[in-house]
Amino acid sequence: MKTNLRGQLVVFTGSLITMTRKEACHLVLSAKGNIANHVSKETNILVVGHYSKNLFDKEQLTKKEKMAQLYQSEGFPIMTINEKQLLKYAIDDLKSKYTSI
């Protein structure tokens, strides 16, 4: 599976630690990726941040994670990554962008 952000449709769920959601969106866009608010069959990457759950809530996944898993089970290649992986992909994309000049 492709491990860069160029041309990828990225969705976020949960709170990010090292940056705001707006900053993360700018990062993806600077690497020539695209942003969506909801998981769909066209989604390529779901970035999962941290989120608080009610102590009595038995569900451990967000709605976006559940939707991604459903599409994955239907054969759609949605990659689920964390914030650290997003940063690595963005750095790799930016490095390759500037080393090819």
Side-chain angles (χ1 to χ4, degrees):
M1 185 168 286
K2 202 171 181 182
T3 57
N4 62 31
L5 300 174
R6 178 180 291 277
Q8 301 295 304
L9 184 60
V10 179
V11 177
F12 294 93
T13 189
S15 299
L16 302 176
I17 301 298
T18 63
M19 66 188 104
T20 65
R21 180 80 57 98
K22 186 175 180 177
E23 291 168 333
C25 289
H26 284 295
L27 183 64
V28 170
L29 294 172
S30 71
K32 304 292 187 214
N34 300 299
I35 302 295
N37 291 321
H38 303 285
V39 173
S40 70
K41 293 176 181 179
E42 288 76 34
T43 302
N44 302 111
I45 299 173
L46 175 64
V47 180
V48 179
H50 296 279
Y51 50 93
S52 302
K53 284 291 191 177
N54 180 322
L55 180 63
F56 303 103
D57 189 356
K58 294 179 182 177
E59 293 294 325
Q60 297 298 314
L61 300 176
T62 65
K63 290 178 184 177
K64 291 177 184 177
E65 287 175 293
K66 289 178 189 175
M67 188 59 67
Q69 285 184 351
L70 174 66
Y71 289 139
Q72 288 168 337
S73 72
E74 293 174 359
F76 294 92
I78 299 174
M79 183 171 25
T80 302
I81 64 172
N82 61 30
E83 184 176 354
K84 184 177 179 179
Q85 291 168 303
L86 172 70
L87 290 169
K88 181 190 178 319
Y89 296 158
I91 289 168
D92 290 348
D93 282 343
L94 293 171
K95 279 182 184 176
S96 67
K97 177 180 175 181
Y98 290 106
T99 56
S100 64
I101 295 177

